[in-house]
Amino acid sequence: MRTTRKIAAAAAAAMVLGATAAGVAQASPTAAAKATAVGKDASSATSGHRCHTGELRYSWDSAHGGRPDMDATSQQIAAVRLKNNGGRTCTLHGFPGVRLISASGEAWDLRRSADRPSTITLRPGDDMALVTVAILPVARHSAGAFLPSKVLITPPDERTHVTLAWPYGGAILDQSGATHPGTYVNPVGVG
């Protein structure tokens, strides 16, 4: 009888964890907008040594040696480099929360790519982690143009964000309601 209870308890725990992970992975941008924090990620690594928002320095960078061409009609990449400014080694695993804010105050929580995250370990002073965002530029006066002015970034498993000014100008096609938008965030990667 004890074995049966243990098996039942283990099965129930597995169902709860599976349901929680599935619910987070499929959270809509609307639900994310109502959340207190951008980017709370239950699929992220749960080690006690994760990188905290305040331990990292955030700076615009490039994933492929250039900046996004906001006059292009094809998908571009914008990247933010993360540097460990803390005094201990820490890890990043999962998707950051990324919220674009327009000059008029509209908010757009970016959907996640289908890419699988890997764990990035940062020793003090390391700056090899990148947050990459695929964007789909459009003309500023096009229908559906979203003009970003700020970007809020929340590292995986964190509840606080940093705010960066959007340095590239231009406009992005607002596909906030699309199921497979051309603008999305990738998991934290190495760059």
Side-chain angles (χ1 to χ4, degrees), residues 31-40 99 109 152 154 158-161:
K34 293 178 183 175
T36 303
V38 178
K40 181 73 176 127
R99 179 179 287 171
D109 291 318
L152 282 56
T154 306
E158 288 293 292
R159 294 184 180 272
T160 58
H161 65 267

Side-chain angles (χ1 to χ4, degrees), residues 155-178:
D157 281 330
E158 288 293 292
R159 294 184 180 272
T160 58
H161 65 267
V162 295
T163 303
L164 300 175
W166 176 256
Y168 304 118
I172 299 170
L173 180 60
D174 186 348
Q175 295 180 316
S176 55

Side-chain angles (χ1 to χ4, degrees), residues 60 63 68 75-80 96 98 100 110 131-136 151 153 166 172 182-186:
W60 289 103
Q75 196 172 52
Q76 301 289 306
I77 299 291
V80 174
V98 175
L100 302 178
L110 299 188
V131 171
T132 57
V133 176
I135 57 174
L136 193 57
V151 180
I153 298 176
W166 176 256
I172 299 170
T183 298
Y184 53 84
V185 62
N186 292 302

Side-chain angles (χ1 to χ4, degrees), residues 9-163:
M15 287 173 43
V16 168
L17 289 175
T20 301
V24 170
Q26 296 180 9
S28 70
T30 303
K34 293 178 183 175
T36 303
V38 178
K40 181 73 176 127
D41 184 0
S43 66
S44 299
T46 57
S47 78
H49 302 293
R50 76 172 188 266
C51 298
H52 297 292
T53 306
E55 293 177 310
L56 300 169
R57 188 184 81 194
Y58 307 79
S59 58
W60 289 103
D61 204 325
S62 60
H64 304 291
R67 54 186 283 135
D69 179 0
M70 297 307 291
D71 293 323
T73 56
S74 60
Q75 196 172 52
Q76 301 289 306
I77 299 291
V80 174
R81 183 161 302 279
L82 307 179
K83 179 180 181 179
N84 182 353
N85 268 353
R88 66 180 180 92
T89 298
C90 63
T91 60
L92 293 162
H93 179 91
F95 290 83
V98 175
R99 179 179 287 171
L100 302 178
I101 307 292
S102 73
S104 64
E106 295 172 273
W108 177 7
D109 291 318
L110 299 188
R111 289 196 180 262
R112 298 172 179 173
S113 73
D115 293 351
R116 299 189 125 215
S118 59
T119 300
I120 312 296
T121 301
L122 296 175
R123 290 185 297 279
D126 282 354
D127 66 350
M128 64 186 169
L130 273 184
V131 171
T132 57
V133 176
I135 57 174
L136 193 57
V138 295
R140 292 178 66 90
H141 301 291
S142 296
F146 184 96
L147 287 82
S149 65
K150 297 187 279 191
V151 180
L152 282 56
I153 298 176
T154 306
D157 281 330
E158 288 293 292
R159 294 184 180 272
T160 58
H161 65 267
V162 295
T163 303

